[in-house]
Amino acid sequence: LPLFDRLERRIVDGDRNGLEADLDAGMEEKDPLEIINETLLAGMKTVGELFGAGKMQLPFVLASAEVMKAAVAYLEPHMEATDNSGKGKILLATVKGDVHDIGKNLVDIILSNNGYDVVNIGIKQPINAILEAAEENKVDAIGMSGLLVKSTVVMKDNLQEMNERGVADKYPVLLGGAALTRSYVENDLGELFQGDVRYAKDAFEGLRLMDSVMT
Ligand code: B1M
């Protein structure tokens, strides 16, 4: 297979052997973010489709996720970082009950490389832990990620909880993850939340939104 097809295949097959060598060769032709966006994410998309169609079992999905993470970790030090640091601080968490963190960690990388301080508190985080960490770290915004359909409900509850605690105005909220839709966030959640809630389709929209929130 040609190099980039082979790399995409490695994600689908969960095959780590020779991954670094292929990534090194890939970086001679493309920059790391292009490789992630065009090649690695295409592989994860296929994994999702196969799993959704019952053609791939969970342990294999996990193996694919691990190769994806290893590839991103290998590429990260090669990414261009801007030097305008200190643009603001954001807390990132995957919401309660949800373990999916590849997207959230990509958002972390993109924001960190573009001048933001990111406090990434990990997966399965209840709203209590999110708000405590936000307070402790004096963040400017809160970002929540979740891929399960039930996470969209958890996010709604979280926003309601922020209303009740009177902190809706304090933190603009950024939401992302495959089960969300723009209209659910902007219309349904926007109506209910007493602060500023935005939908990010991908990590780059997350960056644009942070830039607009911070200026
Ligand atoms: Co899971 N899983 N999974 N899974 N998994 C999905 C989400 C699913 C759609 C697969 C399917 O059925 N086709 C399905 C959900 C269905 C539903 O809710 N209706 C599903 C399921 C069912 C499950 C389990 C329940 C399976 C089981 O146990 N029977 C289980 C859930 C466990 C739990 O959470 N409690 C489970 C487990 C797993 C693994 C552990 C095996 C693994 C996760 C490993 C990990 O993350 N460490 C896994 C994976 C890999 C997937 C799929 C195949 C791929 C997800 C992924 O990493 N995509 C996924 C299929 C799919 O999404 N279509 C699936 C790549 C990633 C970069 O995309 O996270 O969407 P994503 O991020 C994007 C944007 O959404 C956005 O930016 C990124 C791109 O730039 N974004 C943000 C995300 N967060 C953001 C936050 C922002 C801004 C943008 O600001 C804060």
Side-chain angles (χ1 to χ4, degrees), residues 32 72 124 152 212-213:
V72 172
K124 297 207 260 184
T152 64
S212 77
V213 160

Side-chain angles (χ1 to χ4, degrees), residues 47-190:
V47 171
E49 284 161 6
L50 290 171
F51 181 58
K55 290 182 183 151
M56 190 172 183
Q57 300 300 314
L58 205 58
F60 296 95
V61 179
L62 194 54
S64 294
E66 272 160 16
V67 177
M68 175 77 192
K69 285 187 162 197
V72 172
Y74 189 77
L75 293 171
E76 192 190 353
H78 300 279
M79 286 180 199
E80 247 173 76
T82 57
D83 52 8
N84 52 345
S85 58
K87 288 206 298 196
K89 208 183 218 187
I90 182 169
L91 178 132
L92 286 182
T94 299
V95 298
K96 188 179 76 179
D98 197 323
V99 304
H100 298 88
D101 66 355
I102 295 174
K104 167 181 65 63
N105 294 342
L106 269 182
V107 174
D108 181 346
I109 289 172
I110 302 294
L111 290 176
S112 304
N113 281 333
N114 285 281
Y116 288 98
D117 291 324
V118 177
V119 182
N120 186 339
I121 63 168
I123 59 170
K124 297 207 260 184
Q125 294 295 323
I127 186 65
N128 254 336
I130 292 175
L131 292 177
E132 258 169 40
E135 185 70 31
E136 224 170 82
N137 292 283
K138 301 192 166 48
V139 300
D140 302 299
I142 292 177
M144 298 184 218
S145 177
L147 265 66
L148 300 172
V149 169
K150 73 171 192 218
S151 298
T152 64
V153 180
V154 173
M155 287 177 185
K156 181 177 170 196
D157 294 344
N158 288 354
L159 295 181
Q160 209 120 42
E161 182 71 27
M162 288 177 72
N163 283 345
E164 278 161 28
R165 293 195 196 185
V167 295
D169 265 348
K170 194 166 173 188
Y171 306 109
V173 176
L174 213 64
L175 299 179
L180 290 170
T181 63
R182 184 171 303 280
S183 107
Y184 176 68
V185 176
E186 291 177 356
N187 303 331
D188 303 24
L189 300 185

